[in-house]
């Protein structure tokens, strides 16, 4: 049986990748799910017309936005320089009306619908959507909603139940880095 003991793994430039305090506590500097963001609506509500895709603009409260990609004035998240990659995205809205409707929630990338979820809703029911997307620098994301099966209605009235967020997935990059470094280990 072989044992490899170390308190630090560094890259070729001497930068810490993983370090240990010797008591089983590890610190790593490369595997953070950033950039990440989550915004909520301000609770003011937004009216949707029946049968019309409507851009959601009430998401004006940022819970967090690590790389300043969210712009509340145009309700878009834009991927910043050096932040391209695979992202996990999620969103949820709630219907604030009392009639039986079909509510759709769509994430758009650069103006095109890329993922959608729909649900038949009644009084204060909602819909959630999530997806993993490849995003390049400058790509932007927006939320759109639509009500069908009758008249319009309102969404965006409950701040803790309506949100839009995402984060860059890093584990595939992490594993690739570790495997590369293990493969290129030099023993002295």
């Amino acid at each position: 049986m072989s044992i490899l003991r170390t308190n630090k793994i560094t890259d070729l430039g001497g930068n810490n990748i993983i370090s240990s305090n010797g008591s089983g506590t590890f610190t790593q500097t490369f595997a953070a799910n950033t950039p990440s963001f989550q915004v909520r609506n301000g609770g003011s509500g937004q009216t949707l017309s029946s049968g019309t895709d409507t851009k959601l603009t009430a998401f004006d409260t940022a819970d967090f936005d690590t790389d300043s990609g969210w712009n509340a004035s145009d309700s878009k998240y834009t991927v910043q320089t050096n932040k391209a990659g695979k992202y996990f995205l999620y969103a949820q809205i709630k219907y604030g009306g009392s009639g039986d409707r079909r509510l759709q929630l769509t994430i758009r990338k650069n103006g095109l619908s890329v993922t959608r979820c729909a649900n038949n809703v009644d009084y204060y029911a909602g819909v959630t959507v999530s997806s993993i997307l490849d995003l390049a620098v400058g790509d932007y994301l927006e939320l759109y909603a639509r009500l069908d099966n009758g008249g319009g209605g309102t969404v965006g009235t409950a701040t803790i139940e309506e949100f839009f967020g995402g984060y860059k997935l890093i584990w595939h990059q992490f594993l690739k880095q570790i495997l590369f470094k293990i493969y290129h280990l030099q023993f002295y």
Side-chain angles (χ1 to χ4, degrees):
M1 180 169 109
S2 298
I3 296 174
L4 175 63
R5 292 184 184 178
T6 185
N7 66 345
K8 188 186 312 184
I9 297 175
T10 63
D11 63 17
L12 294 175
N15 301 304
N16 279 349
I17 296 173
I18 299 175
S19 61
S20 170
N21 68 358
S23 299
T25 302
F26 291 92
T27 304
Q28 55 82 22
T29 58
F30 59 89
N33 284 330
T34 58
S36 61
F37 75 101
Q38 181 172 290
V39 294
R40 296 184 179 279
N41 81 58
S44 59
Q46 184 172 347
T47 301
L48 303 179
S49 299
S50 179
T52 303
D53 289 332
T54 303
K55 182 176 176 177
L56 297 179
T57 59
F59 291 84
D60 56 4
T61 303
D63 291 332
F64 53 88
D65 183 7
T66 62
D67 288 66
S68 302
W70 180 255
N71 185 336
S73 66
D74 64 3
S75 300
K76 289 182 184 178
Y77 180 81
T78 303
V79 177
Q80 302 299 301
T81 302
N82 297 323
K83 304 300 178 178
K86 292 189 185 310
Y87 281 71
F88 177 76
L89 303 166
Y90 57 91
Q92 178 175 295
I93 59 172
K94 183 179 80 169
Y95 172 56
S98 59
D100 191 24
R101 303 282 188 271
R102 180 165 177 78
L103 177 60
Q104 294 181 19
L105 179 59
T106 302
I107 297 175
R108 289 189 181 183
K109 172 183 164 184
N110 301 329
L112 302 174
S113 298
V114 290
T115 190
R116 173 181 295 136
C117 191
N119 196 13
N120 290 330
V121 295
D122 199 346
Y123 188 68
Y124 287 104
V127 63
T128 302
V129 65
S130 62
S131 186
I132 295 174
L133 297 177
D134 278 315
L135 299 177
V137 172
D139 283 348
Y140 64 91
L141 303 167
E142 302 167 294
L143 281 183
Y144 277 74
R146 177 184 178 122
L147 279 172
D148 291 317
N149 299 348
T154 303
V155 296
T157 58
T159 59
I160 67 168
E161 297 175 355
E162 297 176 289
F163 44 82
F164 175 36
Y167 52 88
K168 185 176 178 183
L169 298 173
I170 50 81
W171 281 105
H172 69 285
Q173 294 170 335
F174 163 71
L175 291 175
K176 188 167 52 172
Q177 284 180 346
I178 290 298
L179 292 174
F180 177 81
K181 292 184 185 318
I182 289 172
Y183 180 75
H184 289 90
L185 279 177
Q186 294 181 352
F187 296 96
Y188 299 98

